[in-house]
Amino acid sequence: MEFVFTQPQAAVPVEGTSQLFPVHRIYCVGRNYVEHAKEMGNTGREAPFFFLKPADAVLPIADGSIGEMAYPSQTKDLHHEIELVVALGSGGKNIPAAEAVKHIYGYAVGLDMTRRDLQAEAKKLGRPWCTGKGFDQSAPISTIRPISATGEIAQGPIQLSVNGQPRQKGDINQLIWSVAETIEQLSSFFELRAGDLIFTGTPAGVGAVVAGDLLEGSVEGVGELRLRLV
Ligand code: MN
């Protein structure tokens, strides 16, 4: 059987190669840093939860270049959330935390861009977050660095500045649920697969950006991400 038409595979370049990492799904963790949970009106002790973005929401940005993201429609409050992204090279169901690291292909720096006004409305009305979180280009992402080059990332500064002014600052060791625990939890809800990306949550300091702003983020040991809103 042939497909009635073909369509592109969402993908992210891998550092130091001419290869692409094919994206299967994009999972995101909510409220995974205490100070961000507090700034969103929670105690910081709630268990994290998951939502998804479409695979083709990725906006890959090559190392050393400044990506461009079009300011999205239907919002007046677009927020940045800088995040460590974990790329899976294999998957499974009910993966124990102690075995999670062997499923990691590599890491990237990502932005979970959020139409905060639409998300807030959805929260209030008990509606899904799709329009607030899962829109086109809502997942800008750096080149993926294989874990063979980085080693396991369990600590190190994560930060974001806007137009040179510091906005978000944290450390990967402040994750409420570690990457391994996140994989354990997530794999109890979904069968994880090679090609899955996990956005692991954002530290405190989220805020609005407007067209013309330059966002510069980094995770130590992983890389940098530069994005201009147009
Ligand atoms: Mn997020």
Side-chain angles (χ1 to χ4, degrees), residues 28-31 36 51 53 81-83 112-114 116 133 199-202:
C28 302
V29 187
R31 286 177 215 141
H36 172 61
F51 59 93
K53 294 176 186 261
E81 295 189 358
I82 188 74
E83 309 203 359
D112 167 16
M113 298 302 289
T114 302
R116 193 71 75 200
K133 286 287 196 180
F199 280 62
T200 56
T202 199

Side-chain angles (χ1 to χ4, degrees), residues 94-104 180 183:
N94 299 314
I95 299 168
E99 291 175 23
V101 68
K102 72 180 185 196
H103 296 284
I104 297 175
I183 289 172

Side-chain angles (χ1 to χ4, degrees), residues 26-189:
I26 304 174
Y27 296 103
C28 302
V29 187
R31 286 177 215 141
N32 207 11
Y33 290 81
V34 170
E35 292 307 316
H36 172 61
K38 286 180 180 169
E39 77 180 346
M40 298 305 288
N42 301 279
T43 67
R45 285 193 294 274
E46 292 86 356
F49 56 89
F50 303 105
F51 59 93
L52 287 92
K53 294 176 186 261
D56 66 355
V58 287
L59 175 61
I61 300 169
D63 280 348
S65 69
I66 299 177
E68 287 195 348
M69 175 185 178
Y71 193 92
S73 61
Q74 297 280 3
T75 183
K76 293 186 170 67
D77 196 21
L78 179 69
H79 275 210
H80 52 75
E81 295 189 358
I82 188 74
E83 309 203 359
L84 169 68
V85 181
V86 177
L88 298 188
S90 57
K93 295 179 187 174
N94 299 314
I95 299 168
E99 291 175 23
V101 68
K102 72 180 185 196
H103 296 284
I104 297 175
Y105 173 81
Y107 301 95
V109 182
L111 279 164
D112 167 16
M113 298 302 289
T114 302
R115 288 163 163 155
R116 193 71 75 200
D117 43 0
L118 298 193
Q119 185 202 25
E121 171 104 345
K123 281 183 182 175
K124 198 169 70 188
L125 298 175
R127 288 179 181 164
W129 286 11
C130 308
T131 59
K133 286 287 196 180
F135 53 95
D136 298 338
Q137 299 190 316
S138 61
I141 185 169
S142 73
T143 302
I144 292 172
R145 286 186 76 183
I147 193 170
S148 55
T150 62
E152 186 179 357
I153 301 289
Q155 59 182 25
I158 175 171
Q159 66 82 32
L160 179 86
S161 67
V162 178
N163 302 327
Q165 301 299 312
R167 287 270 188 100
Q168 292 192 259
K169 207 170 187 179
D171 193 291
I172 300 305
N173 67 16
Q174 296 166 339
L175 284 170
I176 298 171
W177 295 79
S178 70
V179 168
E181 290 168 334
T182 296
I183 289 172
E184 178 176 85
Q185 289 263 332
L186 196 53
S187 68
S188 76
F189 290 100

